Each structure stands twice: as structure tokens, then as C-alpha cells.
Amino acid sequence: MKEIKNISRTRAQVSSAAVERMYITMRHLFNRGFYKPMGISGDTLREALLELRPEIYGSIAEEKVELNGLLYVIERLPIGIEQCRYINLTSDEGYSISHFEAIVPPKRRRNCYRIDDEQMNIEITRGRSDIYDVLTHLTFIFVESHKIMNRVLIGEDGKVTRDWLKIEHAVNTEEPLSLVEKEIAISHLSNVLGRSFAEVLTVYDGFATAENPDRFLDVIYWLGKLAIEEVVDNNKRTITFSPILRERLGHHIYGEMWSDNIKNHLKKQGLLERPIHIISANMHSVMNSIFASTVLKSHLKGQSELQVYEELSKSENGELRKLVYERALMEGMTFLPDTSGTNIDVQIFDTALIDFPNTAFSSEKLADQKPVIIVMDYAFGEQAYETIDELLKPFHKHTFLNVESVSIMGKAGILTGGKGDIMIPFAHINEGTGDNYPLENELTAAMFEGHDIAVVAGTMVTVLGTSLQNKDLLKFFHDSTWGVIGLEMEGAHYQKAIQSASKIRKSIPPNVKVRYAYYASDNPLETGSTLASGGLGSTGVKPTYLITIKILEQIFNII
């Protein structure tokens, strides 16, 4: 008799299946139109998230409340979300012209509106990735809220612990807490959260706002309060998707409006027939790389180019940034603030108007027909496909764009190295599907050597969401023959649009050049180096500008 093998799954396989299940579940819930995250309809999403145990959510699968993960999530959700029992995901449906004041999360560009004491509307204009981001973050905070409830609820009649009553009293105190009152509250919080006094004290001020220095206390109280009401009164929190959002999603409505704005401007300025270079980057590095060193040479005497860029990145140096911006406007730059809802601003540079001898690229070798550079702010996940796909289409179906290159400069998680290192991909893999997009990258690792920055080249994985990754899955991608060096959210989506436009639809030249380079914002394989551990600070300045300069040197035919 043939022996039956005992087949067991690795943690990486379990994690991969959990990601796929979350992806399918979220699409199903969206099509359904509503669900209760802590009810039966939210079971699959909760179970998959707990099975996956993403690094950024730390101790989500343990009894104690995850503090750094909670801070990461709260910064990406609107202020007051913890107080709302009803969360409605909408399209752009006219709230901007109402009396409702837009609430924009500190770390995510999305408009949110507090409708009443119980309801928060979150505007989704950046595609499915925005929905995945919101739903996973909400699932996390709801799971954490039930941990709080389990620690404070005594019996089924709603009786609560003394710690909870003391926290409630502190929350209802109208004046900001004194140091003594704050530390008393933290003492009770530590019992409720299953964390030490020192751990709670360390994270407390991270939640503070100018209006509410004790916001951490409010967040914990309201999360626990609504979780208690769910259990005692069966008053479940509910997430709904507006009919207009369900109708519009996936039809490139915002991407088309955004693209039309750009092309209409190019047409108006007589630039539509010129060679075009598209760069996906931030709204400062291209402008600063071209103009800053000469504009500020008298203001920052004796400082290197890198030091100039570091000075420009400091919040207190707004006047210096204004000088560079004014010079750029004088020499052919136009700023197009987004009006479409994509939250992607654009800069257009007419290089024919740049006084190159007085820039950092005085040795440019441009042809007679000077190119136009379109710099677009970062897209978000699947939004990258929607925006680039629309931008590469012909203007009014007949005027084809002469796109000579598309360059993507972004930040990503690295699997070999640390914060500030540079990654150069030669292929993108879509997580969960195995879909892959090899590319001939005009940038190489060798170009970045000798600048005292570690550089690694290889394959990169485009993930469903940076907050969904765990060590087991990432270690598999890194150690297996996939040879993955890092993870990000847009690469495969960009490349899918570029390939279809250049190879199949023929709307841009088939020999279009592509450039991809990323700098590392975190290393999710290292404890304490995930995105929840904090931002890059000045560490990101050098790789950002080094990548930008290498892209511009190729556009200006200097190398």
C-alpha cells in the first residue's frame, strides 16, 4: 500500500493564502455593499488578518494591545474615526461644496467628513488599493478594540473594571490633564492595554494633536466603549459602500479627468507635439535638482549640493524653497494642482525655457526640439495603472504623445539592507498571482556606486498593501528563486500600463525607455525597522536626490 505523505504547509504558504483570502473577501464585501466588521460578515477578514499577523501590526494576534501599530493606523485614518459606529466609503459625491469640513489624515491624502456623532464618510478616489488600505486598518483597530473590551468588561450586564471607570473620568475632564493626572491615567491604561507604564508613556505623545494633547486616552476609550456596546447591546459597527462608489470604481473616471487636465494644458501651451518624459516622484526633487544649487549659492555658501537639499527639506526653510520655486516658474515650470480627486499634483517643465548654463545640468546635450518633463506626484497602489494608462492614451483619440521615457522614483521596503539604501529592479511580480513584468531598466546598480550608499539590484514584489506583509512571506520571496530584493505597491501597475501602451495599443513609441529606482523606507524583516518604527527623516534626502539626478542626467543626455 502506498504511504500517504503527511503534507504540512509552511508559514509562508499560510501567509500567502491569507493575503489572497483577504483580497477576495474585500472585493466580495465591496460588491455586497455593507458589512459588520466584528459580526459574522467580517469573520473571514478578521481571521485572515490574524492568521497573516503582519509585521506592522505587531502583536495583533496576542492578548495585549499593539501600540506602535495602532499609532501607524490612526495616522492614516481621520481624526474622530474611533468614535464612529457607521463608516461610509463614498466616491467624490459633492461633500466638498457642503458645510462639512474635510478631515485629511496626517499620513494619507484622502478627504473624510464627519456627518454626525456616529458617522464618518471616507472619500475613495484613488481606486481599489485605497479601499484595501482603509478596510485592513479598520479591521485592525476593531480587533484591538475587542482586546480592550475583554480586559474591562465584567459579566454580560455591562459592568466594567475600576480601571475603566477611572479612564472614563479622565476622558470626561474638560481641561488638558496635568502631569500628575496624565500619569495616573497612564497607570490605569497600562492595566487595560496589557502594557507596561513605560511602554504607554513612550507612545502617548505620538497620538497628540495641538488641539488635544491627550488624544491617546480618547482613542483607547472610544474604541473600548463601542466594543462594549457591540457585546452588551449588540449594537454593531457597520461599514458601507455608497452606490455611486460601487458604480464608478474601476472605470478610470478620476484618472481620465486628471489626464485630460494635463493634456489640455500641453495643448494650450503648444507642447503636445514635443518629446515627453514622464517622472513619478515627489513635488520637490526634480525642481530642486535643476535650480536649487545656483539659486541658493549666495544663501548657503560653502555647502555641498547634498547639504543644500537637506536644508531645503527642513520645515523652517520655507523662504529658501520659495526662492527655488519662483526661479522654476520663471524658467518654464507650471504647477497643476489636482482638481480631479486623484490627489496627484503635477509639474510641467518646458526645457526650452530653462537657462541651463545657470543650472546643475549645464553640460546638457538636448536636441533642437527640446523635451517636456511631466512630474507627477506619487500614485497609490492600483491607482498607478489608472493614471498612467490614461496619460499614455492619445489626446482626443488622434493626437499620439511622443513619450520618450517613463521614470519611477519611489520608496519601498527592502529585504537586503536598511533604511536609505537604493533598489534597482529588473522585474516586478504581483503578489498572490505570480503575474510578472520583466523590464529593461535604463538605470543600473553600477550608476549609483561610489556615493556611499548601498545599492542592490533584483526583482521586486508589488504588494496588495505595505501594511499586510509578514516576515515568513517576505523571507520566502527573498530566499527562493524569485530573488526579491524589496516590496512596493505600484511598480507592476505602472509597468502593465506602459507595456500595453507601447507594445500592444501602440499609443506611445515601442522603444520608450523605462527607469525604476527605489530608496528603502524600512526593512520589514528586521524587528524595529518596519514603517511603524517611524519615518526616514534626513536619511531619505541623499538617495532621493541621487536617483532624481541620475534620471535627469539621462533625460538631458549627460551620461
Side-chain angles (χ1 to χ4, degrees):
M1 184 177 175
K2 189 175 180 179
E3 184 180 349
I4 299 175
K5 280 189 177 182
N6 181 22
I7 300 173
S8 60
R9 294 193 301 168
T10 65
R11 271 294 306 158
Q13 289 170 325
V14 170
S15 301
S16 182
V19 170
E20 188 175 1
R21 197 157 64 252
M22 289 186 73
Y23 178 69
I24 293 168
T25 301
M26 285 188 283
R27 294 189 75 140
H28 164 72
L29 294 172
F30 173 75
N31 289 331
R32 184 183 185 212
F34 74 97
Y35 78 106
K36 297 179 178 179
M38 302 308 292
I40 295 172
S41 53
D43 275 350
T44 305
L45 199 52
R46 289 199 316 275
E47 288 167 3
L49 193 64
L50 289 168
E51 193 171 67
L52 182 62
R53 297 201 297 271
E55 293 305 306
I56 217 155
Y57 294 154
S59 53
I60 185 174
E62 301 174 24
E63 288 185 11
K64 59 187 178 183
V65 173
E66 168 55 38
L67 299 181
N68 287 328
L70 184 61
L71 176 58
Y72 176 87
V73 168
I74 285 295
E75 288 180 328
R76 286 153 179 81
L77 291 172
I79 290 176
I81 188 93
E82 69 278 357
Q83 302 173 6
C84 296
R85 193 181 313 281
Y86 302 101
I87 297 164
N88 185 27
L89 275 58
T90 74
S91 180
D92 180 359
E93 300 176 19
Y95 288 99
S96 60
I97 58 173
S98 69
H99 77 280
F100 296 110
E101 185 177 345
I103 306 169
V104 181
K107 297 292 180 71
R108 281 284 187 268
R109 292 173 296 180
R110 55 171 73 103
N111 292 329
C112 310
Y113 301 92
R114 185 73 179 265
I115 303 303
D116 53 37
D117 289 345
E118 291 190 306
Q119 182 177 332
M120 180 75 75
N121 282 12
I122 301 177
E123 223 172 63
I124 302 293
T125 58
R126 298 194 293 169
R128 287 192 179 91
S129 292
D130 225 8
I131 294 176
Y132 306 150
D133 190 63
V134 170
L135 294 190
T136 50
H137 289 342
L138 289 175
T139 302
F140 167 77
I141 65 169
F142 292 162
V143 167
E144 297 301 300
S145 75
H146 274 244
K147 290 183 190 177
I148 297 168
M149 178 272 299
N150 287 331
R151 283 183 170 271
V152 303
L153 190 60
I154 306 171
E156 296 179 359
D157 59 352
K159 189 177 180 182
V160 292
T161 63
R162 176 176 177 271
D163 285 317
W164 190 249
L165 293 174
K166 293 292 184 180
I167 290 170
E168 186 173 41
H169 174 73
V171 167
N172 291 329
T173 302
E174 292 186 5
E175 296 296 319
L177 300 181
S178 67
L179 178 61
V180 172
E181 291 171 329
K182 172 183 168 181
E183 292 189 345
I184 291 171
I186 289 175
S187 177
H188 294 296
L189 278 171
S190 63
N191 289 334
V192 168
L193 302 176
R195 295 286 187 172
S196 70
F197 180 89
E199 286 176 312
V200 179
L201 183 63
T202 300
V203 79
Y204 193 95
D205 290 337
F207 286 78
T209 62
E211 299 78 21
N212 185 5
D214 303 303
R215 187 179 173 222
F216 179 67
L217 195 61
D218 290 353
V219 168
I220 298 301
Y221 171 72
W222 280 99
L223 287 177
K225 175 180 168 63
L226 294 188
I228 291 168
E229 291 175 3
E230 281 190 319
V231 171
V232 175
D233 304 324
N234 198 31
N235 202 351
K236 302 287 186 187
R237 284 168 285 194
T238 304
I239 295 175
T240 55
F241 306 91
S242 79
I244 294 177
L245 174 64
R246 294 163 66 200
E247 178 184 301
R248 287 179 176 177
L249 195 74
H251 294 293
H252 291 201
I253 288 169
Y254 300 106
E256 185 177 9
M257 291 164 58
W258 173 82
S259 168
D260 285 346
N261 288 341
I262 297 169
K263 291 172 188 172
N264 284 325
H265 175 80
L266 294 176
K267 179 69 174 178
K268 185 179 177 182
Q269 299 299 318
L271 304 175
L272 202 58
E273 312 293 335
R274 300 257 291 274
I276 292 172
H277 297 272
I278 299 168
I279 303 176
S280 173
N282 50 57
M283 288 286 100
H284 56 80
S285 58
V286 171
M287 176 179 66
N288 290 346
S289 295
I290 296 172
F291 300 108
S293 59
T294 51
V295 170
L296 301 178
K297 62 185 176 183
S298 61
H299 296 79
L300 301 171
K301 288 181 180 178
Q303 298 205 21
S304 67
E305 277 193 28
L306 177 60
Q307 289 171 321
V308 170
Y309 301 142
E310 287 178 342
E311 287 299 318
L312 285 168
S313 70
K314 295 177 181 177
S315 58
E316 64 268 23
N317 285 333
E319 285 302 314
L320 295 181
R321 289 191 292 274
K322 184 179 178 183
L323 290 173
V324 179
Y325 184 76
E326 288 173 349
R327 165 75 178 274
L329 291 177
M330 288 171 58
E331 296 192 18
M333 187 192 85
T334 305
F335 177 64
L336 298 181
D338 177 63
T339 56
S340 67
T342 61
N343 283 303
I344 299 177
D345 295 332
V346 170
Q347 292 167 333
I348 296 176
F349 294 83
D350 179 357
T351 62
L353 300 178
I354 296 175
D355 180 15
F356 277 103
N358 287 313
T359 70
F361 300 93
S362 57
S363 56
E364 56 82 18
K365 300 181 183 67
L366 292 173
D368 292 338
Q369 193 177 30
K370 299 293 190 288
V372 173
I373 299 174
I374 299 173
V375 181
M376 56 179 283
D377 209 343
Y378 296 118
F380 186 73
E382 291 184 20
Q383 185 192 34
Y385 176 76
E386 174 178 342
T387 49
I388 289 290
D389 184 58
E390 290 297 327
L391 186 55
L392 299 182
K393 287 179 180 178
F395 179 63
H396 291 172
K397 298 185 179 180
H398 302 295
T399 305
F400 289 78
L401 276 61
N402 181 17
V403 178
E404 292 193 348
S405 75
V406 182
S407 303
I408 312 298
M409 188 272 284
K411 59 183 179 180
I414 194 169
L415 304 182
T416 306
K419 288 186 177 183
D421 292 354
I422 289 175
M423 290 160 279
I424 307 295
F426 52 69
H428 290 97
I429 308 162
N430 245 337
E431 178 189 40
T433 64
D435 294 348
N436 51 85
Y437 301 90
L439 59 109
E440 290 186 25
N441 198 339
E442 295 293 314
L443 300 175
T444 65
M447 292 178 183
F448 295 89
E449 292 175 358
H451 294 278
D452 199 30
I453 291 183
V455 187
V456 60
T459 307
M460 295 191 72
V461 61
T462 298
V463 299
L464 185 64
T466 52
S467 59
L468 292 179
Q469 303 315 302
N470 73 351
K471 284 185 178 178
D472 302 295
L473 188 53
L474 295 176
K475 199 168 186 305
F476 163 75
F477 275 126
H478 179 256
D479 295 345
S480 70
T481 52
W482 283 114
V484 168
I485 59 170
L487 61 147
E488 48 75 56
M489 285 183 63
E490 292 83 26
H493 305 302
Y494 277 126
Q495 192 58 22
K496 179 168 67 171
I498 295 166
Q499 284 184 194
S500 64
S502 61
K503 308 296 184 188
I504 301 171
R505 303 166 85 170
K506 310 293 185 185
S507 56
I508 62 172
N511 60 344
V512 61
K513 294 178 178 179
V514 293
R515 305 180 188 92
Y516 288 87
Y518 301 88
Y519 59 93
S521 57
D522 63 298
N523 185 332
L525 289 181
E526 290 183 5
T527 302
S529 293
T530 66
L531 285 170
S533 66
L536 272 169
S538 61
T539 309
V541 173
K542 186 173 181 179
T544 296
Y545 281 93
L546 184 56
I547 292 169
T548 305
I549 288 167
K550 292 300 179 185
I551 290 171
L552 291 174
E553 284 178 343
Q554 289 199 350
I555 292 173
F556 297 148
N557 296 319
I558 293 173
I559 56 172

